């Protein structure tokens, strides 16, 4: 259905969600590689303009504060910037929030993706020649769409049937289906990638690894769902950014690529690794592990996610580079050294009700 086209190395990417955790890592990396970036982000609670401070003065960087659900504004952005590629990361991304308030997940992840697809189709339909041939719509998704694995099940492959469990993963699964349908029905050159759990700098404090680090730094109880036996595959965000730019450049339209870190850990195992690293980096009078507190499990909590990322390795030559322990160590250092980044968020109650607000931010 699709053919590969030759693409120039330096191109303009319309990046959605570029003020969030992963989007800002992509923006920083892409700018350093000479790409032009048009960052479309409506700046929800999860966004932070400090994430893109280092590139905001670059001539190659433009920011458009816009909701992806606003078709008229998105159309004007396409007209104004004439991008070569779309890389779509804007989403509501926190499972706990999707359980508390699913509506915004349906709106942004499903309706927003639909509107972006329609505007991309309109724009692409008017292109011609090489610009039309080389256009790509790259949809960034999650391994959570595949559902739940038992401990000894084989890892998710690109062909694994979808079986999402949470409102978040169901909304992402719906968006993946829309993207594939726009590829198949309208021949929009779409590419999908489904990635495992990310970690690294600039991740919003409510997510698992920042919660462990910040609760430990404040010597407050570190909440672990259930018995902490759930297993996740962890990938450093810089590796994900590298994988996404590889997929955009070399990926074949119509294809899906699983991205993973080959780094499966139980939640409790991960908490202990971080606590032990912190015992060395930020010595306390007792081991940080003593702060671990088991809390009521999340409803519908998937037991295990594991990603088989051999397709992207064989076909596109991408593999993760950041070693797990070194990546966790670097992440702890970042949160210790960048307190001015997270303190205002913690003061605003970035942990929500579920994990209890941090009591002191001094
Ligand atoms: P994030 O919550 O940190 O950032 C999301 C960004 O999207 C924010 O800057 C936010 O302002 C923006 N946004 C939200 N709704 C918007 C809207 N309606 N219009 C415009 N902008 C909007 O998320 P993240 O962790 O960086 O995840 C980015 C993408 O990667 C998501 O699509 C997510 O599903 C996917 N993903 C995340 C992980 C992970 O571990 N974090 C793993 C696999 C896939």
């Amino acid at each position: 259905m699709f053919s590969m086209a030759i693409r120039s190395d330096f191109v303009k990417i319309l990046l959605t969600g570029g003020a969030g955790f992963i989007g800002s890592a992509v923006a920083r990396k892409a700018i350093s590689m000479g790409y032009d970036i048009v960052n479309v982000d409506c700046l929800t609670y999860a966004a932070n303009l400090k994430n893109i401070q280092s590139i905001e003065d670059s001539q190659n960087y433009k920011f458009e504060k816009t909701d992806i659900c606003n078709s008229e504004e998105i159309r004007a952005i396409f007209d104004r910037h004439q991008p070569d590629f779309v890389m779509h990361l804007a989403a509501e991304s926190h499972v706990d929030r999707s359980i508390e308030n699913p509506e915004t997940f349906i709106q942004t992840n499903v309706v927003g993706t639909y509107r972006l697809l329609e505007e991309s189709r309109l724009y692409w339909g008017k292109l011609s020649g090489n610009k039309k041939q080389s256009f790509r719509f790259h949809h960034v998704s999650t391994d959570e769409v595949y559902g739940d694995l038992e401990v000894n099940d084989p890892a998710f492959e690109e062909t694994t049937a979808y079986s999402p469990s949470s409102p978040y993963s169901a909304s992402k699964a719906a968006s993946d289906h829309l993207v594939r349908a726009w590829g198949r029905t309208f021949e929009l050159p779409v590419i999908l990638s489904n990635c495992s759990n990310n970690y690294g700098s600039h991740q919003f404090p409510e997510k698992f690894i920042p919660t462990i680090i910040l609760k430990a730094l404040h010597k407050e109880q570190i909440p672990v769902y259930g018995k902490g036996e759930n297993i996740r595959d962890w990938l450093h965000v810089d590796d994900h950014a590298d994988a996404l730019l590889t997929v955009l450049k070399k990926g074949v339209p119509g294809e899906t690529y699983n991205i993973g870190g080959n780094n499966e850990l139980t939640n409790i195992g991960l908490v202990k690794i971080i606590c032990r690293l912190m015992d060395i980096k930020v010595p306390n009078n007792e081991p940080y592990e003593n702060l671990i507190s088991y809390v009521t499990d999340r409803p519908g909590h998937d037991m295990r996610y594991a990603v088989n990322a051999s397709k992207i390795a064989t076909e596109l030559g991408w593999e993760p580079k950041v070693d797990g322990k070194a990546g966790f160590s670097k992440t702890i250092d970042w949160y210790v050294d960048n307190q001015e980044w997270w303190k205002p968020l913690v003061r605003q109650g970035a942990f929500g009700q579920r994990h209890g607000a941090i009591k002191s931010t001094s």
Side-chain angles (χ1 to χ4, degrees), residues 16-25 39-48 51 64-70 74 88-94 104 107-109 112 139-144 168 172 175 193-199 202-204 206-207 233-235 237 240 244 259:
T16 72
F21 166 50
I22 302 171
S24 65
N39 178 9
V40 178
D41 196 305
C42 71
L43 302 182
T44 68
Y45 79 94
N48 196 329
N51 295 356
E64 296 279 4
K65 183 177 181 309
T66 300
D67 189 325
I68 55 162
C69 298
N70 188 328
I74 295 293
H88 176 36
L89 288 95
E92 287 293 333
S93 69
H94 190 45
T104 50
Q107 188 59 25
T108 286
N109 300 2
H139 179 60
V140 177
S141 193
T142 165
D143 62 352
E144 299 191 30
Y168 164 65
K172 290 297 290 189
S175 67
S193 57
N194 294 78
C195 186
S196 62
N197 280 37
N198 282 215
Y199 71 94
H202 304 86
Q203 189 169 27
F204 197 75
E206 69 189 354
K207 297 286 174 78
D233 170 38
W234 291 94
L235 178 73
V237 67
H240 192 189
L244 293 178
I259 303 170

Side-chain angles (χ1 to χ4, degrees), residues 66-335:
T66 300
D67 189 325
I68 55 162
C69 298
N70 188 328
S71 302
E72 269 179 38
E73 284 187 22
I74 295 293
R75 195 169 309 164
I77 289 170
F78 271 111
D79 286 348
R80 207 156 41 243
H81 296 286
Q82 302 286 309
D84 300 292
F85 295 157
V86 172
M87 195 192 280
H88 176 36
L89 288 95
E92 287 293 333
S93 69
H94 190 45
V95 175
D96 288 342
R97 285 182 189 254
S98 82
I99 295 167
E100 280 149 22
N101 178 18
E103 177 91 23
T104 50
F105 287 72
I106 304 304
Q107 188 59 25
T108 286
N109 300 2
V110 185
V111 177
T113 300
Y114 154 70
R115 299 242 163 95
L116 190 65
L117 278 167
E118 274 296 76
E119 293 312 317
S120 300
R121 180 165 81 92
L122 256 179
Y123 168 74
W124 172 71
K126 288 187 264 174
L127 296 177
S128 57
N130 190 43
K131 187 138 178 151
K132 180 164 193 163
Q133 267 234 308
S134 58
F135 182 82
R136 302 285 182 266
F137 183 105
H138 177 181
H139 179 60
V140 177
S141 193
T142 165
D143 62 352
E144 299 191 30
V145 296
Y146 298 119
D148 201 8
L149 290 173
E150 297 295 335
V151 175
N152 294 317
D153 284 346
F156 301 131
E157 294 180 9
E158 286 80 359
T159 49
T160 302
Y162 278 25
S163 181
S165 307
S166 71
Y168 164 65
S169 53
S171 68
K172 290 297 290 189
S175 67
D176 290 10
H177 289 317
L178 291 175
V179 172
R180 287 200 181 91
W182 260 243
R184 171 100 190 211
T185 304
F186 304 113
E187 297 194 10
L188 186 68
V190 300
I191 309 181
L192 290 90
S193 57
N194 294 78
C195 186
S196 62
N197 280 37
N198 282 215
Y199 71 94
S201 69
H202 304 86
Q203 189 169 27
F204 197 75
E206 69 189 354
K207 297 286 174 78
F208 192 42
I209 290 184
T211 296
I212 305 168
I213 299 170
L214 299 189
K215 289 284 187 182
L217 280 178
H218 289 84
K219 302 183 182 43
E220 292 184 11
Q221 291 197 328
I222 300 168
V224 176
Y225 280 133
K227 294 181 187 154
E229 287 168 345
N230 306 66
I231 296 170
R232 301 290 180 263
D233 170 38
W234 291 94
L235 178 73
H236 193 276
V237 67
D238 291 346
D239 272 334
H240 192 189
D242 185 42
L244 293 178
L245 291 165
T246 303
V247 168
L248 192 66
K249 196 165 173 205
K250 298 189 192 164
V252 177
E255 292 293 322
T256 296
Y257 300 91
N258 279 352
I259 303 170
N262 205 10
N263 185 24
E264 277 187 63
L265 291 166
T266 60
N267 285 350
I268 190 64
L270 171 62
V271 173
K272 287 182 178 174
I273 289 173
I274 291 182
C275 286
R276 284 169 200 166
L277 285 167
M278 290 194 64
D279 287 336
I280 300 163
K281 290 174 184 291
V282 193
N284 188 21
N285 46 16
E286 57 174 322
Y288 285 104
E289 275 183 42
N290 291 359
L291 295 170
I292 292 171
S293 158
Y294 295 94
V295 299
T296 311
D297 209 353
R298 167 192 279 167
H301 204 177
D302 287 333
M303 181 58 206
R304 174 173 167 244
Y305 304 135
V307 169
N308 179 335
S310 55
K311 177 175 171 181
I312 188 171
T314 353
E315 296 185 10
L316 308 186
W318 177 88
E319 281 182 358
K321 293 187 191 73
V322 181
D323 161 77
K325 203 162 170 196
F328 296 136
S329 173
K330 217 167 80 169
T331 305
I332 296 170
D333 291 343
W334 189 85
Y335 282 91

Side-chain angles (χ1 to χ4, degrees), residues 215 220 346-347 349-360:
K215 289 284 187 182
E220 292 184 11
V346 166
R347 269 191 219 107
F351 288 89
Q353 294 307 307
R354 198 168 284 273
H355 290 149
I358 291 243
K359 292 172 196 76
S360 106

Side-chain angles (χ1 to χ4, degrees), residues 23-57:
S24 65
V26 172
R28 294 189 301 271
K29 185 168 180 69
I31 291 285
S32 78
M33 292 168 73
Y35 286 97
D36 282 350
I37 289 288
V38 179
N39 178 9
V40 178
D41 196 305
C42 71
L43 302 182
T44 68
Y45 79 94
N48 196 329
L49 289 174
K50 286 184 192 153
N51 295 356
I52 37 176
Q53 217 163 25
S54 61
I55 54 168
E56 68 188 2
D57 292 332

